[in-house]
């Protein structure tokens, strides 16, 4: 690793950390490091991740997300996993084309027309099946399955069972979170990417026939819209869709379930707020927004500078990659009082859990609607739901941060 201990853009204490030490600290609990960076080094170079810039304050993260000096980008892990042409790195007309077939089914008014019928029956069935046990890991046995089933059915993947969809997004996720780069500029954890390649092969083998079917016989599934919308009679091929489909099968599959889990943990840790929400479900939307702010399930978005610019006083060169920490920005002390505390009574104001600018997440309305229904049905089914004090929750991650396991009783 290059010696950056004397540069102004990388503080000594950060430069001297090994890649594994930095990853371990961020994965266990990134918020102490984020607070230190916001206070003393709001933008830093991180040599352990390929010398990317890391931005942590709310205003700076929003600037990079919205400024035309920056385009969508893929770091080495993104590009290795998702490949060229994915919606996260596309810009200009290619990006507009992709959003034109992704967005319509996910707009707020459109979501409201189908979301109950899509989500509630499956949520109720899962809860009824769980009832006799009296306990469960509510993340792996309920919130993740509801999340993947909802999006899977919307896409037209009804024939793919929920455990398979869960396994797919976990397999892809385990690769993408690995950002450490060795002295040769190569990704350190090659095994995770080799495993992800196997997952992608399975996705292509499973979803390819579905794409073939909707190509020949269009239907109302989102996959059919992806194939046919705005094509002037020349349907998109599976090869054109794979890069963005990998993105969706990872990020959009996991966000609603993990967002709901983060909100539920916040409520469990604040019993008075839990009782308020149980008694008045109209509070669920603001509880969900606070959960997304408190622990952003997707913690980072990536941009590339396309012209020289300045962020937080640091000159950014053309081609520089910037990691924007939504997880840090959403706990910026200059914007929220006592930001590490979960509080559904906070005055409402925008957070950055869904990125910013042209690449703002298309699925934000869908994801929040799935979360609301999943939690509403959970509280209805188990009025005495409580965290299992005999087993600890599992909370980890920084690129993706979420409650991975949450034992409960009823």
């Amino acid at each position: 690793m290059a010696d950056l201990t004397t540069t102004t853009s990388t503080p000594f204490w950060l430069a001297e950390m090994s890649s594994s030490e930095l990853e371990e600290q961020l994965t266990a609990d990134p918020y102490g490091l984020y607070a230190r960076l916001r206070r003393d080094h709001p933008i830093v170079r991180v040599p352990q991740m390929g010398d990317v810039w890391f931005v942590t304050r709310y205003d700076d993260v929003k600037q990079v997300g919205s400024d035309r000096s920056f385009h969508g980008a893929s770091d080495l892990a993104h590009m290795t996993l998702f490949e060229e042409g994915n919606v996260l790195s596309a810009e200009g007309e290619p990006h507009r084309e992709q959003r034109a077939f992704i967005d319509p089914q996910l707009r707020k008014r459109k979501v409201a027309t189908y979301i109950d019928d899509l989500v509630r029956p499956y949520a109720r069935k899962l809860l009824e099946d769980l009832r006799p046990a009296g306990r469960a890991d509510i993340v792996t046995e309920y919130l993740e399955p509801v999340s993947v089933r909802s999006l899977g059915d919307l896409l037209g993947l009804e024939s793919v069972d929920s455990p398979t969809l869960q396994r797919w997004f976990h397999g892809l996720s385990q690769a993408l979170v690995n950002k450490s780069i060795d002295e040769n500029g190569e990704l350190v954890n090659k095994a995770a990417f080799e495993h992800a390649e196997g997952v992608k092969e399975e996705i292509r083998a499973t979803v390819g026939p579905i794409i073939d079917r909707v190509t020949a016989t269009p239907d109302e599934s989102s996959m059919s819209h992806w194939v046919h919308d705005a094509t002037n009679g020349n349907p998109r091929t599976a090869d054109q869709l794979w890069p963005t489909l990998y993105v969706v099968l990872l990020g959009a599959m996991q966000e609603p379930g993990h967002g709901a889990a983060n909100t539920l943990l916040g409520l469990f840790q604040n019993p008075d707020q839990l009782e308020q929400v149980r008694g008045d479900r109209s509070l669920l939307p603001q509880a969900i927004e606070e959960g997304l702010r408190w622990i952003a399930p997707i913690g980072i978005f990536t941009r590339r500078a396309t012209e020289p610019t300045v962020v937080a006083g640091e000159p950014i060169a053309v081609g520089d990659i910037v990691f924007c920490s939504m997880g840090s920005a959403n706990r910026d002390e200059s914007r929220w009082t006592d930001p590490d505390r979960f509080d559904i009574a906070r005055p409402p104001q925008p957070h950055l859990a869904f990125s910013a600018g042209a690449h703002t997440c298309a699925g934000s309305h869908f994801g929040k609607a799935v979360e609301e229904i999943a939690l509403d049905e959970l509280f209805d089914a188990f009025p005495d739901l409580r965290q299992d004090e005999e087993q600890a929750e599992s909370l980890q991650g920084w690129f993706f941060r979420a409650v991975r396991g949450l034992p409960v009783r009823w």
Side-chain angles (χ1 to χ4, degrees):
M1 183 187 305
D3 180 7
L4 298 179
T5 59
T6 60
T7 71
T8 59
S9 58
T10 306
F12 175 85
W13 59 267
L14 178 59
E16 68 180 1
M17 296 175 71
S18 69
S19 296
S20 60
E21 288 171 337
L22 179 57
E23 286 278 1
E24 287 172 7
Q25 181 171 335
L26 286 169
T27 299
D29 184 354
Y31 295 115
L33 186 148
Y34 288 165
R36 187 176 184 183
L37 290 176
R38 287 195 304 269
R39 183 184 66 240
D40 300 327
H41 304 280
I43 180 168
V44 295
R45 280 194 179 275
V46 183
Q48 300 92 330
M49 298 179 185
D51 216 21
V52 300
W53 291 100
F54 205 94
V55 181
T56 51
R57 289 180 181 170
Y58 182 94
D59 288 344
D60 300 326
V61 169
K62 187 173 181 180
Q63 174 197 337
V64 174
S66 306
D67 195 321
R68 292 184 179 179
S69 300
F70 295 92
H71 281 184
S74 290
D75 62 273
L76 184 56
H78 270 88
M79 192 56 68
T80 301
L81 184 63
F82 295 142
E83 306 167 10
E84 290 281 0
N86 70 79
V87 70
L88 297 178
S89 61
E91 198 64 40
E93 186 54 36
H95 181 251
R96 284 190 290 272
E97 179 190 351
Q98 294 206 46
R99 293 298 293 258
F101 65 75
I102 293 171
D103 288 6
Q105 293 291 104
L106 298 174
R107 294 191 178 111
K108 188 173 184 178
R109 289 185 178 179
K110 180 65 175 179
V111 168
T113 67
Y114 64 73
I115 197 69
D116 267 43
D117 291 339
L118 182 72
V119 181
R120 287 194 192 275
Y122 184 68
R124 288 172 179 171
K125 180 181 183 304
L126 277 181
L127 292 167
E128 194 58 34
D129 290 345
L130 289 174
R131 184 182 301 279
R135 61 170 61 187
D137 179 338
I138 209 64
V139 178
T140 60
E141 296 181 68
Y142 174 65
L143 293 173
E144 284 186 357
V146 169
S147 182
V148 301
R149 187 73 274 141
S150 300
L151 182 62
D153 288 354
L154 182 69
L155 285 171
L157 309 183
E158 296 94 336
S159 60
V160 185
D161 64 41
S162 299
T164 296
L165 294 173
Q166 283 178 268
R167 181 166 51 79
W168 285 355
F169 88 64
H170 280 295
L172 297 175
S173 175
Q174 287 164 13
L176 188 60
V177 298
N178 289 281
K179 301 299 182 184
S180 295
I181 307 294
D182 64 22
E183 62 274 9
N184 298 316
E186 297 182 354
L187 293 160
V188 171
N189 191 349
K190 293 182 174 61
F193 288 91
E194 291 170 358
H195 176 73
E197 284 304 312
V199 172
K200 287 161 62 178
E201 288 180 12
E202 184 181 350
I203 290 170
R204 292 192 293 270
T206 305
V207 181
I210 296 172
I211 294 175
D212 291 342
R213 173 173 55 77
V214 299
T215 299
T217 309
D219 57 28
E220 285 306 308
S221 69
S222 287
M223 190 65 67
S224 182
H225 286 285
W226 284 27
V227 169
H228 294 284
D229 284 5
T231 60
N232 295 317
N234 298 303
R236 295 179 184 87
T237 66
D239 286 342
Q240 290 175 294
L241 299 178
W242 293 133
T244 291
L245 184 61
Y246 300 145
V247 172
V248 170
L249 290 177
L250 171 49
M253 283 283 178
Q254 75 171 357
E255 188 282 330
H258 288 172
N262 295 345
T263 297
L264 186 59
L265 179 64
L267 292 171
F268 279 149
Q269 292 181 355
N270 295 271
D272 58 330
Q273 297 180 46
L274 175 60
E275 291 310 310
Q276 289 178 52
V277 172
R278 281 194 217 264
D280 182 0
R281 302 300 167 75
S282 70
L283 296 175
L284 264 176
Q286 66 195 68
I288 289 166
E289 294 289 359
E290 175 65 354
L292 290 166
R293 182 208 66 82
W294 183 53
I295 304 177
I298 300 175
I300 298 288
F301 67 80
T302 307
R303 295 291 185 271
R304 176 177 55 85
T306 58
E307 56 187 80
T309 189
V310 175
V311 177
E314 286 283 357
I316 308 298
V318 173
D320 281 359
I321 296 293
V322 181
F323 281 2
C324 296
S325 177
M326 298 179 281
S328 175
N330 286 346
R331 294 199 182 196
D332 190 330
E333 300 83 353
S334 70
R335 189 169 178 84
W336 287 280
T337 302
D338 196 7
D340 293 331
R341 181 169 56 89
F342 178 92
D343 182 5
I344 66 173
R346 290 182 187 279
Q349 60 175 327
H351 55 71
L352 291 173
F354 293 107
S355 187
H359 286 269
T360 296
C361 177
S364 61
H365 301 300
F366 178 85
K368 287 186 285 189
V370 172
E371 287 189 46
E372 183 174 350
I373 292 171
L375 291 173
D376 185 44
E377 291 294 333
L378 179 62
F379 293 144
D380 273 353
F382 305 134
D384 58 345
L385 183 77
R386 60 198 182 278
Q387 190 170 356
D388 190 340
E389 296 179 355
E390 295 179 2
Q391 303 181 64
E393 74 275 0
S394 171
L395 176 62
Q396 62 181 14
W398 65 278
F399 195 90
F400 299 122
R401 185 161 184 82
V403 182
R404 312 292 173 141
L406 184 56
V408 300
R409 291 173 176 260
W410 50 87

